[in-house]
Amino acid sequence: MAIAIASLVVTIAAIAYAWRCGGRPERQGAVILGIMLAVNALGHAFVPLIYKTVDPIGLAVDLIGLVGFSWLGLVSRRLWPLWAGSLQLLSTGAHFVRALHIPVRAPVYYWMKSLPTVAVILLLIFGTWAYTRQERKSKQRSSRT
């Protein structure tokens, strides 16, 4: 339970940080992550978490992330969304492993589908930090001239 609460707090903080300090791609990434968070919360309010078969809510969330971050990686001039899309592909792949009835223990399935998304959150934070650092350097250069 503590891990879930910590994850929620970090996710909301990452979304707020990207929205407040990031450029357009970081804000769009924050929106994608916010949609993923909302679908997950609303979906699991009606459908319990499932680890023994494919979790339909988890699959929907990961597909939203896969499509959203892949699209963002194609239209933006940032590298982090491409990495985020790739990580979401790994997360989505975990559901297909479960759908193919490959024997995977429930805790392993949980980590296979969750850890790549945690890395996406860290990428959003890093991408926002890199953008703010670049903007700061750009302002310093322009003030020198």
Side-chain angles (χ1 to χ4, degrees):
M1 184 63 150
I3 292 174
I5 293 171
S7 175
L8 179 63
V9 168
V10 170
T11 303
I12 291 170
I15 291 169
Y17 176 56
W19 189 259
R20 180 178 166 105
C21 300
R24 185 175 183 157
E26 289 76 26
R27 288 181 180 170
Q28 290 171 333
V31 169
I32 294 166
L33 202 56
I35 291 169
M36 291 171 65
L37 185 64
V39 168
N40 189 44
L42 290 173
H44 284 129
F46 298 103
V47 178
L49 286 165
I50 301 170
Y51 297 114
K52 297 203 182 285
T53 60
V54 175
D55 177 19
I57 303 302
L59 176 59
V61 168
D62 290 334
L63 285 173
I64 290 167
L66 174 62
V67 171
F69 286 114
S70 297
W71 167 82
L72 185 58
L74 292 173
V75 300
S76 70
R77 299 187 70 171
R78 305 276 203 282
L79 189 57
W80 72 265
L82 290 174
W83 292 352
S86 299
L87 287 164
Q88 285 304 132
L89 182 60
L90 289 173
S91 230
T92 304
H95 299 287
F96 290 109
V97 166
R98 181 57 85 191
L100 294 173
H101 302 291
I102 296 172
V104 175
R105 294 172 54 192
V108 175
Y109 174 56
Y110 171 79
W111 290 111
M112 284 172 50
K113 71 185 193 79
S114 301
L115 281 181
T117 305
V118 170
V120 168
I121 295 165
L122 297 175
L123 278 172
L124 178 63
I125 293 167
F126 175 76
T128 304
W129 173 80
Y131 172 78
T132 56
R133 185 171 181 228
Q134 179 184 5
E135 287 296 303
R136 197 175 325 122
K137 285 183 178 182
S138 176
K139 287 180 183 177
Q140 287 175 352
R141 276 187 237 128
S142 65
S143 67
R144 290 181 192 162
T145 57

